[in-house]
Amino acid sequence: MKKLLLVYGLLVATFLAYIWYFVLREERPNGWNEGATGLTGGIEEKYVMVTFQSSLDYWRSSMKGFEDAAQQLNVSVEFRGATQYDPNEEITVLEKVIARKPAGIAVTAINTEALNPAIDKAVAAGIPVVLFDSGAPKSKAYAFLGTDNYDAGAQAAREMGRRLGGQGKVAVVTQPNQLNHQDRTRGFEETLRKEFPGMSIAAVADGKGDILVSAQATEKILDEHPDVDGFFATQANGGAGIAQALQDRGLEGRKTVIGFDTDKGTLDLVRSGEIDATLAQGTWNMGYWSLLSLFHLSHGIVTEGKQEGSHPIPPYMDTGITIVTRDNVDDYYAK
Amino acid sequence: MKKLLLVYGLLVATFLAYIWYFVLREERPNGWNEGATGLTGGIEEKYVMVTFQSSLDYWRSSMKGFEDAAQQLNVSVEFRGATQYDPNEEITVLEKVIARKPAGIAVTAINTEALNPAIDKAVAAGIPVVLFDSGAPKSKAYAFLGTDNYDAGAQAAREMGRRLGGQGKVAVVTQPNQLNHQDRTRGFEETLRKEFPGMSIAAVADGKGDILVSAQATEKILDEHPDVDGFFATQANGGAGIAQALQDRGLEGRKTVIGFDTDKGTLDLVRSGEIDATLAQGTWNMGYWSLLSLFHLSHGIVTEGKQEGSHPIPPYMDTGITIVTRDNVDDYYAK
């Protein structure tokens, strides 16, 4: 009988310990002042990433960052995308995502205007939205996370200036109608002018984001300025086109070429030495810090909101640029 | 009886196993892939914020953000500062903090150069460092979190343009030798020129960050340009000086005045209507996201580091600007 009492006593004590330990600790609601439980959500809390041309390799690293953050924070993620380069398709995808009222949405805008009504509708409905990689400045999204394109151009100019010893003529192959490419070109031109007075820009050509058109533009530049020493492409296909034109003319390795992004084609050309350096964007950062931003908005861990136009979280995060050369190119191939 | 005891024993054992499982799960070490425990550190993990003129009210909100993040992440924080506006004193304070090997340091740089050797030493020793509020671009700190001063000037221009209906002459009272003030002035001038062709800038004066000097500069502008319609001060004392000069001339409320920051003096002038609007910096964001950045560096939850010059975390976070007017000024007084 005494033994039985002891067992009962143990049972009760265990049960009390259980209640004391877990009811107090685990069931505390998430959010502001949750105390010692850390930043953590629930598996039923779903965040969605929305892209366009969703099968592009380019998105993979951002998706990985988004997933990695979800694992850290113990929340769920989902990926939805328009398969084509089609604003209407992306609007439809985004509308469907909004209808399911997720905990937050990270979206990359196919252009600066098309998604704004959908984004603003989501924010008005209390769904946090941030933009990554390409922004929509006039939308009501809380933040934009992406490359500082002006700075990317400036870094390309410094790499070019360093490689050419501060002397010579260079040319740019770009897409003059797109804002991000305009910023890259401007950063390149202004930095070269300011920091490398011994250098000049011979030509700025439109490669239309196409390998063949970029190759033709490069040949034209070589015809008009045979003494050009280097090329900067503000976009991956531009770099491939420059490399092709130089090869066709037997000039590979004899001009300095700086490319953009880290798709397999560009990395192969860096490895072979036909492209001297390329600029890697901070795509993992875009995904990781997008989810972290959305989590803070969803849990209300923010600057006390004081009025329309105030910023509960940092409204812009520059996700960084890294220069990739033959020395470190192997690290950038998809694992 | 024996069977009953066995059953009870089993029950107790199951319960203990259950609890043991959760205790283990909760106490799993922090870091990458920690699974379902969320972002959480240890109370022995200490992060330090280093300031100059440490008694300034201005730092309070950044300190609150730093503390709030520490509570979320279950880590400790400490505040150290140079009491004076003295680079050598801040270097000494920073060196002492580094010697104690904290988990991370957030520092606001008294100028763009003085702290660089100390910051670089800390980073070389494996101590994560980020800069907030005022940066040191050539240091090896991992990130800068602060106001986009050019954008702050642009927002001031839009507020001025809106209030004056896009017509009239305005003047700027600034500190032309400091980089952040140059950026604010440039953002103001360029935005006004681009977006408000009906407006012009009559004068840009040096207020030397002093109320009396700013008042004198304002009187001089009023003498030379009696038809000036508005003033923009890029600094708190400039706004107070403008307000004083207008009062001395009996012109209070008859010119549009846009100030900067949210110290009590400026807020009082907004409340009384002598300053029409002032710009609030995202100081809480600076502190909160500095600690979050340091935590990620300290725990290695970062972009895979590929080479010197790569960015394990976003290298720049714009912490935002909010326009404060009579309508929402009460929210900005220290609670």
Side-chain angles (χ1 to χ4, degrees), chain A residues 141-204:
Chain A
Y142 290 94
F144 169 60
L145 301 96
T147 299
D148 179 339
N149 286 301
Y150 182 93
D151 181 58
Q155 292 201 42
R158 289 188 194 112
E159 183 69 15
M160 185 71 89
R162 195 183 62 73
R163 286 177 179 269
L164 292 176
Q167 297 296 327
K169 279 188 192 174
V170 296
V172 181
V173 176
T174 183
Q175 284 175 271
N177 298 322
Q178 248 178 268
L179 184 63
N180 49 351
H181 293 280
Q182 287 167 10
D183 288 344
R184 289 169 195 172
T185 303
R186 203 163 48 87
F188 184 80
E189 289 177 333
E190 292 184 7
T191 305
L192 214 62
R193 205 178 306 137
K194 217 185 296 176
E195 299 178 17
F196 299 94
M199 297 183 69
S200 65
I201 292 171
V204 176

Side-chain angles (χ1 to χ4, degrees), chain A residues 221-264:
Chain A
I221 292 169
L222 288 168
D223 288 339
E224 291 171 4
H225 309 275
D227 58 343
V228 73
D229 301 291
F231 290 88
F232 168 44
T234 65
Q235 191 263 359
N237 284 340
I242 293 165
Q244 191 185 296
L246 292 177
Q247 208 170 46
D248 289 349
R249 297 276 177 110
L251 289 169
E252 66 266 32
R254 297 180 50 198
K255 309 282 181 189
T256 298
V257 181
I258 297 180
F260 215 97
D261 280 332
T262 56
D263 58 296
K264 188 171 177 302

Side-chain angles (χ1 to χ4, degrees), chain A residues 260-271:
Chain A
F260 215 97
D261 280 332
T262 56
D263 58 296
K264 188 171 177 302
T266 301
L267 295 177
D268 286 348
L269 291 165
V270 172
R271 200 181 246 171

Side-chain angles (χ1 to χ4, degrees), chain A residues 32 39 45 47 73 128 289-302 312-313, chain B residues 39 69 72-73 284 288-289 292 296:
Chain A
W32 199 219
L39 286 176
E45 197 177 319
Y47 296 86
L73 295 165
W289 291 85
S290 282
L291 184 52
L292 207 54
S293 295
L294 290 171
F295 180 91
H296 278 81
L297 290 164
S298 176
H299 288 247
I301 312 169
V302 297
I313 59 166
Chain B
L39 287 176
Q72 288 294 335
L73 296 166
W284 185 90
Y288 186 92
W289 292 85
L292 207 55
H296 278 81

Side-chain angles (χ1 to χ4, degrees), chain B residues 263-279:
Chain B
D263 58 295
K264 188 172 177 303
T266 301
L267 294 177
D268 287 347
L269 290 165
V270 172
R271 201 181 244 170
S272 71
E274 289 170 84
I275 289 180
D276 296 273
T278 190
L279 301 183

Side-chain angles (χ1 to χ4, degrees), chain A residues 7-8 18 22 25-26 32 34-35 38-39 71-72 285 288-289 296 303 307 311 314-316 318 323 328, chain B residues 8 18 22 25-26 32 34-35 38-39 71-72 285 288-289 296 303 307 311 314-316 318 321 323 328:
Chain A
V7 170
Y8 276 130
Y18 170 77
F22 285 101
R25 283 194 64 172
E26 276 217 331
W32 199 219
E34 59 190 330
L39 286 176
Q71 196 176 354
Q72 288 294 334
N285 276 338
Y288 186 93
W289 291 85
H296 278 81
T303 316
Q307 66 164 134
H311 300 288
Y316 171 58
D318 171 12
I323 293 173
N328 62 328
Chain B
Y8 279 130
Y18 177 70
F22 278 101
R25 205 192 64 171
E26 282 219 332
W32 196 218
E34 59 190 331
L39 287 176
Q71 197 176 354
Q72 288 294 335
N285 276 339
Y288 186 92
W289 292 85
H296 278 81
T303 316
Q307 66 163 136
H311 300 288
Y316 171 58
D318 170 13
I321 275 285
I323 292 173
N328 62 328

